[in-house]
Amino acid sequence: MAKRNVKTGSYSIVDKKLRRRAGRPRSFDRESALDHAVEMFWADGYEGVDVERIARAVGVTKPSLYRAFGDKAALFLRALQRYSRTQAAGALAAFEAEPDITRAVAAFCKVAITTITSDGRAGCLLACTAATSKGSAADVRDLLVKRQATVVNRMTNRFEHEMAAGRLSPSVPARTRAQFLIDLMQGMALRASTGAAGRELRADARSYLPLLLK
């Protein structure tokens, strides 16, 4: 209990510091908070998520989230960045890890389709939610453009290597192959968002691979 100076009625400096510490909001795991935000924005879209819901899921107050991340639009951007580094990164990692190009493309499609259809999810947070959301301000659009450019460039480099080694025909440019694969997966994501099953999407993806790998 804080002690008062009887003559002045004021608290001592030490007591004031103790009171300020006691009133501070408790800290929380920011990465975990972003993971909750990712799942909620992914499920319900930007407009369908209230920051209060995210705060309750994390176990902190709404003002605490605002202090940590800024307003709702800033939190949305941070969630998209988190998604890009985690769930969305798996397909490209699988593509680059597989030494055989046919298996690499198949692995990319498999992981991408699993990401957009597993655990009750439907579609891609980037392709289906961020690109069509009112929260898609300039910084969100920049994130989408830069991420796609990065993926296309890395895939193009791989296809160029395969073509130079004679494992792919020079009849289709490497960048065209890369962009085709990205466009294919974005189309798959849109289909997933309207209820297409993973089994159906995987079967269709397999039927398209000969066009890409000729």
Side-chain angles (χ1 to χ4, degrees), residues 10-190:
S10 63
Y11 290 94
S12 70
I13 293 175
V14 173
D15 289 336
K16 287 179 180 179
K17 289 181 178 179
L18 289 173
R19 292 174 68 226
R20 280 199 296 270
R21 277 201 293 270
R24 288 175 183 168
R26 69 184 183 84
S27 60
F28 61 96
D29 185 334
R30 294 192 178 198
E31 297 304 309
S32 176
L34 288 176
D35 287 338
H36 279 88
V38 164
E39 294 299 329
M40 291 182 183
F41 285 129
W42 200 351
D44 299 322
Y46 180 81
E47 291 79 12
V49 175
D50 184 87
V51 176
E52 180 66 38
R53 282 181 55 203
I54 301 175
R56 288 198 302 270
V58 178
V60 298
T61 64
K62 186 175 178 179
S64 293
L65 279 185
Y66 283 136
R67 280 191 292 269
F69 300 113
D71 61 12
K72 180 180 176 180
L75 176 58
F76 184 52
L77 176 62
R78 292 288 297 276
L80 294 178
Q81 292 168 337
R82 174 74 171 169
Y83 175 84
S84 296
R85 295 192 304 269
T86 54
Q87 289 99 323
L92 182 60
F95 174 82
E96 294 181 329
E98 177 56 62
D100 178 81
I101 187 60
T102 299
R103 292 178 180 176
V105 173
F108 175 86
C109 294
K110 179 180 179 180
V111 173
I113 292 171
T114 297
T115 300
I116 61 177
T117 58
S118 62
D119 299 326
R121 297 169 181 144
C124 171
L125 179 59
L126 297 175
C128 299
T129 302
T132 60
S133 171
K134 291 181 181 178
S136 296
D139 47 6
V140 171
R141 291 193 295 272
D142 286 345
L143 170 67
L144 300 180
V145 170
K146 289 177 181 178
R147 184 182 184 279
Q148 182 170 121
T150 297
V151 175
V152 169
N153 288 338
R154 286 165 65 173
M155 285 187 161
T156 297
N157 291 338
R158 173 68 184 276
F159 285 128
E160 286 177 342
H161 173 76
E162 298 297 330
M163 292 165 66
R167 289 185 286 269
L168 290 176
S169 165
S171 61
V172 180
R175 181 164 291 274
T176 300
R177 295 176 191 269
Q179 191 64 62
F180 174 84
L181 187 52
I182 297 302
D183 291 346
L184 172 62
M185 285 302 104
Q186 289 185 340
M188 294 283 184
L190 290 174

